Amino acid sequence: MKPYRQRRQRKPLTLKVKYFDKEIPKLEKFETGDWVDLRAAETIEMKQGDFKLIPLGVGMKLPKGYEANIVPRSSTFKNFGIIQTNHYSVIDQSYSGNEDQWFYPALAIRDTVIQKGDRICQFRINKKMPKVEFVTVEKLDGINRGGLGSTGTK
Ligand SMILES: O=c1ccn([C@H]2C[C@H](O)[C@@H](COP(=O)(O)OP(=O)(O)OP(=O)(O)O)O2)c(=O)[nH]1
C-alpha cells in the first residue's frame, strides 16, 4: 500500500490559461492552495481620481462548477495608491471566450504609475453557489437581532 501522504494526494484541477501578452511571466505550473498573484499587462499611468480597467494579461477556462475571485494584494494600496472598485471580483465560469481577458477595476487615490508586470492583485477559484430556490413568505421565524451594531464594540 502507498504511504498515507501519497494516498491523500488528489489530481490537481486543470485551469486552461490564455496569455494575452507574451512578455508577462506565465503562472507557475502547480499551485498548492495559496492565492495566485496576477500582474498588470500594460504600464498604466493614472492621475488622482482616475478609474481604469487594468488588463491582467490572462483569460481562463475554469473547471466546471467553479468561479474565480480577485482581491487586491495587501501591499497594493501602499505600493500603487489604487483601490479595487468592485472590492471582490467574480469571474464567472462562462467568461471563457477567446477575447475574455481578466481585468482589474482600479480607482487611483493619488497620481500613480503601475509598470507592466507589476503584481497588483491575487486570485483563487471557489466552488459556485449551489442551485437555490426563492420562496416568498409573510414572516421569518428567527429572533430579531436589534439592528446593525447591536452587539456593541467591546
Ligand atoms: O473585476 C472583474 C470583474 C469581472 N470581470 C469579468 C469576469 C466576469 O465574468 C465578467 C462580468 O462580470 P460581472 O458579472 O461582475 O459584471 P456585470 O457588471 O454584472 O456585467 P455583465 O452584464 O457582463 O454580467 O467580467 C473581470 O475581468 N474583472
Side-chain angles (χ1 to χ4, degrees):
M1 184 141 54
K2 284 181 184 165
Y4 180 68
R5 270 184 53 149
Q6 282 181 29
R7 271 185 282 141
R8 268 175 55 89
Q9 276 174 0
R10 293 217 185 91
K11 199 170 165 277
L13 291 172
T14 300
L15 277 69
K16 294 181 180 167
V17 186
K18 172 177 171 176
Y19 294 94
F20 287 79
D21 188 293
K22 296 215 173 355
E23 294 162 21
I24 295 289
K26 288 202 162 57
L27 300 173
E28 295 288 334
K29 187 163 173 63
F30 294 106
E31 281 291 345
T32 51
D34 290 337
W35 288 64
V36 181
D37 287 345
L38 292 172
R39 299 168 188 270
E42 284 175 15
T43 294
I44 306 275
E45 211 176 322
M46 298 172 83
K47 295 277 172 228
Q48 185 177 30
D50 281 354
F51 168 74
K52 179 95 187 162
L53 294 173
I54 302 176
L56 295 171
V58 292
M60 296 187 206
K61 178 78 184 176
L62 301 174
K64 198 165 179 290
Y66 284 83
E67 64 182 37
N69 303 109
I70 306 174
V71 297
R73 296 178 68 207
S74 302
S75 52
T76 295
F77 185 73
K78 174 169 68 79
N79 290 336
F80 306 108
I82 54 172
I83 283 180
Q84 181 175 338
T85 56
N86 57 358
H87 308 296
Y88 182 80
S89 304
V90 178
I91 310 285
D92 303 295
Q93 216 248 338
S94 57
Y95 193 75
S96 56
N98 194 43
E99 300 305 320
D100 287 343
Q101 177 172 195
W102 293 12
F103 59 83
Y104 187 73
L107 173 70
I109 299 301
R110 57 168 166 84
D111 294 2
T112 185
V113 180
I114 297 150
Q115 301 293 340
K116 179 173 178 173
D118 282 347
R119 288 179 290 131
I120 56 172
C121 57
Q122 53 188 334
F123 89 97
R124 61 161 292 169
I125 59 170
N126 274 306
K127 283 207 166 136
K128 279 168 67 164
M129 185 167 81
K131 189 172 171 184
V132 298
E133 176 191 15
F134 295 102
V135 178
T136 303
V137 295
E138 288 304 320
K139 279 188 173 171
L140 300 175
D141 59 9
I143 298 167
N144 291 332
R145 278 278 303 267
L148 297 184
S150 63
T151 63
T153 56
K154 301 281 185 232

